[in-house]
Amino acid sequence: MKKIILSALLFLPLFLLSACGTALPGEEVMQNLVNRSADLESYHQFVALTTTTTKEDLNGVTAVNEQYTTADATLFPEEKTGYGKRIDKNSDYPATKSEFYVTPEVGYNRTDDGDWTAYATPDVPLASLQVYPLETFIELSQIIEEYGTLELEGDEYLLSFSGSDDAMNKEINYLFQTLPSEQTDYEIAIRLDAETFYLTAFSYHSTVTRADQKTIVTTELTGEFDLYDQAKKLKTVPDFDAVDTTAETADSSF
């Protein structure tokens, strides 16, 4: 019992300093972000990803292709469960809407209000629902803290970076599993709640210029996170045998 009380007292000044408007060192802010996020029971996220490729052919004609994804997910990390919806669109094809319901034993997915399909490995639909897991954005925050700036703005910490950096570029390409490019410019802003240290919102923009291929690739990644330890599970387990059954939810995130 004494060890538990002592541990609580050691962490108490950190929260008091932040609540009183005094910024903590970046290393402590990142450690608090990691520690608090590791024990999450639930959270809700909305993530949008847009990739635009502009390419000029040998005749000087410019072609533009755009792909985007939006995902609205309610997740329970410890149980590896979740539910939500996702929309994928390629400028050359119609949009596709997918719905997900994932349990520890099996994951379900249906596309454009069709039949539910069961996956023996729940990790597959769970990964598809999230686009990127929360851990990815935590790692991105750590990268930006190292190469960018950290400021306390009111009741939020703002992590930001503008410009290019070869070392940071390599880390980000590794994180997102993208092809490296020497000419990449970034505009990144990540916001954390100054009291809880939870990630609340982020905005990520990158521009990759491949002069030898006459190609420019821009990526926009934005998101919002909320309902930390407050997200609700489905009221009832849906009947996945019925084609016209929609999973009933207990909150407005679906």
Side-chain angles (χ1 to χ4, degrees), residues 71-91:
D72 190 340
T74 300
L75 301 157
F76 303 84
E78 290 295 324
E79 301 176 10
K80 294 186 178 180
T81 64
Y83 60 88
K85 60 186 177 182
R86 169 173 171 157
I87 297 175
D88 293 283
K89 177 73 169 70
N90 184 306
S91 57

PDB file of all heavy atoms in Angstrom, residues 71-91:
ATOM      1  N   ALA A  71     -12.607   6.806 -41.715  1.00  0.00           N
ATOM      2  CA  ALA A  71     -12.954   5.703 -40.831  1.00  0.00           C
ATOM      3  C   ALA A  71     -13.436   6.246 -39.493  1.00  0.00           C
ATOM      4  O   ALA A  71     -12.787   7.087 -38.872  1.00  0.00           O
ATOM      5  CB  ALA A  71     -11.757   4.786 -40.625  1.00  0.00           C
ATOM      6  N   ASP A  72     -14.584   5.765 -39.063  1.00  0.00           N
ATOM      7  CA  ASP A  72     -15.203   6.161 -37.801  1.00  0.00           C
ATOM      8  C   ASP A  72     -15.260   4.914 -36.932  1.00  0.00           C
ATOM      9  O   ASP A  72     -16.037   3.990 -37.217  1.00  0.00           O
ATOM     10  CB  ASP A  72     -16.606   6.701 -38.076  1.00  0.00           C
ATOM     11  CG  ASP A  72     -17.234   7.355 -36.865  1.00  0.00           C
ATOM     12  OD1 ASP A  72     -16.788   7.069 -35.735  1.00  0.00           O
ATOM     13  OD2 ASP A  72     -18.174   8.152 -37.039  1.00  0.00           O
ATOM     14  N   ALA A  73     -14.429   4.851 -35.891  1.00  0.00           N
ATOM     15  CA  ALA A  73     -14.281   3.610 -35.139  1.00  0.00           C
ATOM     16  C   ALA A  73     -14.387   3.822 -33.640  1.00  0.00           C
ATOM     17  O   ALA A  73     -13.875   4.800 -33.100  1.00  0.00           O
ATOM     18  CB  ALA A  73     -12.931   2.968 -35.460  1.00  0.00           C
ATOM     19  N   THR A  74     -15.048   2.884 -32.975  1.00  0.00           N
ATOM     20  CA  THR A  74     -15.076   2.814 -31.519  1.00  0.00           C
ATOM     21  C   THR A  74     -14.344   1.545 -31.129  1.00  0.00           C
ATOM     22  O   THR A  74     -14.688   0.457 -31.589  1.00  0.00           O
ATOM     23  CB  THR A  74     -16.521   2.779 -30.993  1.00  0.00           C
ATOM     24  OG1 THR A  74     -17.197   3.977 -31.406  1.00  0.00           O
ATOM     25  CG2 THR A  74     -16.543   2.692 -29.480  1.00  0.00           C
ATOM     26  N   LEU A  75     -13.314   1.682 -30.281  1.00  0.00           N
ATOM     27  CA  LEU A  75     -12.392   0.578 -30.041  1.00  0.00           C
ATOM     28  C   LEU A  75     -12.193   0.283 -28.554  1.00  0.00           C
ATOM     29  O   LEU A  75     -12.247   1.193 -27.723  1.00  0.00           O
ATOM     30  CB  LEU A  75     -11.041   0.898 -30.686  1.00  0.00           C
ATOM     31  CG  LEU A  75     -11.124   1.130 -32.207  1.00  0.00           C
ATOM     32  CD1 LEU A  75      -9.951   1.971 -32.684  1.00  0.00           C
ATOM     33  CD2 LEU A  75     -11.158  -0.189 -32.946  1.00  0.00           C
ATOM     34  N   PHE A  76     -11.931  -0.994 -28.283  1.00  0.00           N
ATOM     35  CA  PHE A  76     -11.681  -1.469 -26.923  1.00  0.00           C
ATOM     36  C   PHE A  76     -10.367  -2.260 -26.957  1.00  0.00           C
ATOM     37  O   PHE A  76     -10.368  -3.483 -27.180  1.00  0.00           O
ATOM     38  CB  PHE A  76     -12.850  -2.335 -26.454  1.00  0.00           C
ATOM     39  CG  PHE A  76     -14.175  -1.625 -26.519  1.00  0.00           C
ATOM     40  CD1 PHE A  76     -14.895  -1.575 -27.710  1.00  0.00           C
ATOM     41  CD2 PHE A  76     -14.682  -0.944 -25.412  1.00  0.00           C
ATOM     42  CE1 PHE A  76     -16.093  -0.895 -27.789  1.00  0.00           C
ATOM     43  CE2 PHE A  76     -15.882  -0.265 -25.485  1.00  0.00           C
ATOM     44  CZ  PHE A  76     -16.588  -0.232 -26.676  1.00  0.00           C
ATOM     45  N   PRO A  77      -9.233  -1.572 -26.773  1.00  0.00           N
ATOM     46  CA  PRO A  77      -7.907  -2.159 -26.993  1.00  0.00           C
ATOM     47  C   PRO A  77      -7.615  -3.429 -26.201  1.00  0.00           C
ATOM     48  O   PRO A  77      -7.074  -4.392 -26.752  1.00  0.00           O
ATOM     49  CB  PRO A  77      -6.954  -1.029 -26.580  1.00  0.00           C
ATOM     50  CG  PRO A  77      -7.750   0.212 -26.711  1.00  0.00           C
ATOM     51  CD  PRO A  77      -9.135  -0.167 -26.346  1.00  0.00           C
ATOM     52  N   GLU A  78      -7.947  -3.437 -24.918  1.00  0.00           N
ATOM     53  CA  GLU A  78      -7.623  -4.595 -24.094  1.00  0.00           C
ATOM     54  C   GLU A  78      -8.340  -5.843 -24.581  1.00  0.00           C
ATOM     55  O   GLU A  78      -7.804  -6.952 -24.540  1.00  0.00           O
ATOM     56  CB  GLU A  78      -7.984  -4.308 -22.635  1.00  0.00           C
ATOM     57  CG  GLU A  78      -7.087  -3.274 -21.960  1.00  0.00           C
ATOM     58  CD  GLU A  78      -5.652  -3.748 -21.827  1.00  0.00           C
ATOM     59  OE1 GLU A  78      -5.450  -4.962 -21.589  1.00  0.00           O
ATOM     60  OE2 GLU A  78      -4.732  -2.933 -21.991  1.00  0.00           O
ATOM     61  N   GLU A  79      -9.565  -5.676 -25.034  1.00  0.00           N
ATOM     62  CA  GLU A  79     -10.358  -6.808 -25.489  1.00  0.00           C
ATOM     63  C   GLU A  79     -10.162  -7.098 -26.975  1.00  0.00           C
ATOM     64  O   GLU A  79     -10.680  -8.086 -27.497  1.00  0.00           O
ATOM     65  CB  GLU A  79     -11.837  -6.553 -25.197  1.00  0.00           C
ATOM     66  CG  GLU A  79     -12.140  -6.327 -23.727  1.00  0.00           C
ATOM     67  CD  GLU A  79     -13.605  -5.992 -23.500  1.00  0.00           C
ATOM     68  OE1 GLU A  79     -14.388  -6.135 -24.457  1.00  0.00           O
ATOM     69  OE2 GLU A  79     -13.958  -5.590 -22.385  1.00  0.00           O
ATOM     70  N   LYS A  80      -9.468  -6.189 -27.667  1.00  0.00           N
ATOM     71  CA  LYS A  80      -9.275  -6.297 -29.114  1.00  0.00           C
ATOM     72  C   LYS A  80     -10.609  -6.421 -29.839  1.00  0.00           C
ATOM     73  O   LYS A  80     -10.811  -7.279 -30.704  1.00  0.00           O
ATOM     74  CB  LYS A  80      -8.369  -7.488 -29.450  1.00  0.00           C
ATOM     75  CG  LYS A  80      -6.939  -7.317 -28.955  1.00  0.00           C
ATOM     76  CD  LYS A  80      -6.046  -8.442 -29.423  1.00  0.00           C
ATOM     77  CE  LYS A  80      -4.614  -8.197 -28.948  1.00  0.00           C
ATOM     78  NZ  LYS A  80      -3.686  -9.278 -29.394  1.00  0.00           N
ATOM     79  N   THR A  81     -11.527  -5.548 -29.456  1.00  0.00           N
ATOM     80  CA  THR A  81     -12.837  -5.508 -30.088  1.00  0.00           C
ATOM     81  C   THR A  81     -13.110  -4.093 -30.589  1.00  0.00           C
ATOM     82  O   THR A  81     -12.433  -3.137 -30.195  1.00  0.00           O
ATOM     83  CB  THR A  81     -13.947  -5.921 -29.108  1.00  0.00           C
ATOM     84  OG1 THR A  81     -14.007  -4.957 -28.043  1.00  0.00           O
ATOM     85  CG2 THR A  81     -13.675  -7.294 -28.522  1.00  0.00           C
ATOM     86  N   GLY A  82     -14.128  -3.977 -31.431  1.00  0.00           N
ATOM     87  CA  GLY A  82     -14.483  -2.658 -31.931  1.00  0.00           C
ATOM     88  C   GLY A  82     -15.599  -2.721 -32.948  1.00  0.00           C
ATOM     89  O   GLY A  82     -16.010  -3.805 -33.387  1.00  0.00           O
ATOM     90  N   TYR A  83     -16.105  -1.561 -33.309  1.00  0.00           N
ATOM     91  CA  TYR A  83     -17.123  -1.483 -34.340  1.00  0.00           C
ATOM     92  C   TYR A  83     -17.047  -0.117 -35.007  1.00  0.00           C
ATOM     93  O   TYR A  83     -16.472   0.821 -34.464  1.00  0.00           O
ATOM     94  CB  TYR A  83     -18.525  -1.721 -33.764  1.00  0.00           C
ATOM     95  CG  TYR A  83     -18.944  -0.735 -32.694  1.00  0.00           C
ATOM     96  CD1 TYR A  83     -19.573   0.465 -33.016  1.00  0.00           C
ATOM     97  CD2 TYR A  83     -18.715  -1.006 -31.347  1.00  0.00           C
ATOM     98  CE1 TYR A  83     -19.965   1.368 -32.030  1.00  0.00           C
ATOM     99  CE2 TYR A  83     -19.094  -0.121 -30.360  1.00  0.00           C
ATOM    100  CZ  TYR A  83     -19.724   1.070 -30.702  1.00  0.00           C
ATOM    101  OH  TYR A  83     -20.097   1.956 -29.724  1.00  0.00           O
ATOM    102  N   GLY A  84     -17.587  -0.014 -36.197  1.00  0.00           N
ATOM    103  CA  GLY A  84     -17.552   1.263 -36.886  1.00  0.00           C
ATOM    104  C   GLY A  84     -17.756   1.114 -38.374  1.00  0.00           C
ATOM    105  O   GLY A  84     -18.168   0.061 -38.865  1.00  0.00           O
ATOM    106  N   LYS A  85     -17.446   2.168 -39.095  1.00  0.00           N
ATOM    107  CA  LYS A  85     -17.636   2.154 -40.543  1.00  0.00           C
ATOM    108  C   LYS A  85     -16.471   2.858 -41.230  1.00  0.00           C
ATOM    109  O   LYS A  85     -15.746   3.645 -40.621  1.00  0.00           O
ATOM    110  CB  LYS A  85     -18.945   2.847 -40.916  1.00  0.00           C
ATOM    111  CG  LYS A  85     -19.028   4.307 -40.483  1.00  0.00           C
ATOM    112  CD  LYS A  85     -20.396   4.891 -40.761  1.00  0.00           C
ATOM    113  CE  LYS A  85     -20.513   6.327 -40.255  1.00  0.00           C
ATOM    114  NZ  LYS A  85     -21.857   6.886 -40.489  1.00  0.00           N
ATOM    115  N   ARG A  86     -16.331   2.548 -42.515  1.00  0.00           N
ATOM    116  CA  ARG A  86     -15.233   3.088 -43.304  1.00  0.00           C
ATOM    117  C   ARG A  86     -15.715   3.324 -44.737  1.00  0.00           C
ATOM    118  O   ARG A  86     -16.488   2.530 -45.274  1.00  0.00           O
ATOM    119  CB  ARG A  86     -14.055   2.120 -43.276  1.00  0.00           C
ATOM    120  CG  ARG A  86     -12.936   2.423 -44.265  1.00  0.00           C
ATOM    121  CD  ARG A  86     -11.763   1.505 -44.025  1.00  0.00           C
ATOM    122  NE  ARG A  86     -10.752   1.620 -45.076  1.00  0.00           N
ATOM    123  CZ  ARG A  86      -9.478   1.298 -44.940  1.00  0.00           C
ATOM    124  NH1 ARG A  86      -9.051   0.835 -43.781  1.00  0.00           N
ATOM    125  NH2 ARG A  86      -8.623   1.423 -45.935  1.00  0.00           N
ATOM    126  N   ILE A  87     -15.238   4.418 -45.330  1.00  0.00           N
ATOM    127  CA  ILE A  87     -15.551   4.718 -46.724  1.00  0.00           C
ATOM    128  C   ILE A  87     -14.248   4.876 -47.492  1.00  0.00           C
ATOM    129  O   ILE A  87     -13.357   5.610 -47.076  1.00  0.00           O
ATOM    130  CB  ILE A  87     -16.381   6.009 -46.843  1.00  0.00           C
ATOM    131  CG1 ILE A  87     -17.724   5.830 -46.145  1.00  0.00           C
ATOM    132  CG2 ILE A  87     -16.610   6.368 -48.308  1.00  0.00           C
ATOM    133  CD1 ILE A  87     -18.563   7.100 -46.096  1.00  0.00           C
ATOM    134  N   ASP A  88     -14.130   4.159 -48.608  1.00  0.00           N
ATOM    135  CA  ASP A  88     -12.951   4.232 -49.471  1.00  0.00           C
ATOM    136  C   ASP A  88     -13.375   4.738 -50.848  1.00  0.00           C
ATOM    137  O   ASP A  88     -14.406   4.308 -51.389  1.00  0.00           O
ATOM    138  CB  ASP A  88     -12.306   2.858 -49.613  1.00  0.00           C
ATOM    139  CG  ASP A  88     -11.717   2.355 -48.317  1.00  0.00           C
ATOM    140  OD1 ASP A  88     -10.634   2.831 -47.941  1.00  0.00           O
ATOM    141  OD2 ASP A  88     -12.348   1.497 -47.665  1.00  0.00           O
ATOM    142  N   LYS A  89     -12.552   5.634 -51.406  1.00  0.00           N
ATOM    143  CA  LYS A  89     -12.891   6.208 -52.712  1.00  0.00           C
ATOM    144  C   LYS A  89     -11.626   6.427 -53.527  1.00  0.00           C
ATOM    145  O   LYS A  89     -10.644   6.980 -53.056  1.00  0.00           O
ATOM    146  CB  LYS A  89     -13.605   7.555 -52.530  1.00  0.00           C
ATOM    147  CG  LYS A  89     -13.939   8.283 -53.841  1.00  0.00           C
ATOM    148  CD  LYS A  89     -15.072   7.620 -54.562  1.00  0.00           C
ATOM    149  CE  LYS A  89     -15.587   8.476 -55.717  1.00  0.00           C
ATOM    150  NZ  LYS A  89     -14.642   8.570 -56.848  1.00  0.00           N
ATOM    151  N   ASN A  90     -11.658   5.959 -54.759  1.00  0.00           N
ATOM    152  CA  ASN A  90     -10.631   6.258 -55.741  1.00  0.00           C
ATOM    153  C   ASN A  90     -11.304   7.111 -56.807  1.00  0.00           C
ATOM    154  O   ASN A  90     -12.433   6.812 -57.215  1.00  0.00           O
ATOM    155  CB  ASN A  90     -10.077   4.960 -56.354  1.00  0.00           C
ATOM    156  CG  ASN A  90      -8.932   5.213 -57.325  1.00  0.00           C
ATOM    157  OD1 ASN A  90      -9.053   5.995 -58.265  1.00  0.00           O
ATOM    158  ND2 ASN A  90      -7.826   4.521 -57.120  1.00  0.00           N
ATOM    159  N   SER A  91     -10.647   8.175 -57.244  1.00  0.00           N
ATOM    160  CA  SER A  91     -11.279   9.108 -58.181  1.00  0.00           C
ATOM    161  C   SER A  91     -11.749   8.424 -59.461  1.00  0.00           C
ATOM    162  O   SER A  91     -12.623   8.930 -60.161  1.00  0.00           O
ATOM    163  CB  SER A  91     -10.314  10.242 -58.530  1.00  0.00           C
ATOM    164  OG  SER A  91      -9.108   9.744 -59.072  1.00  0.00           O
TER     165      SER A  91
END
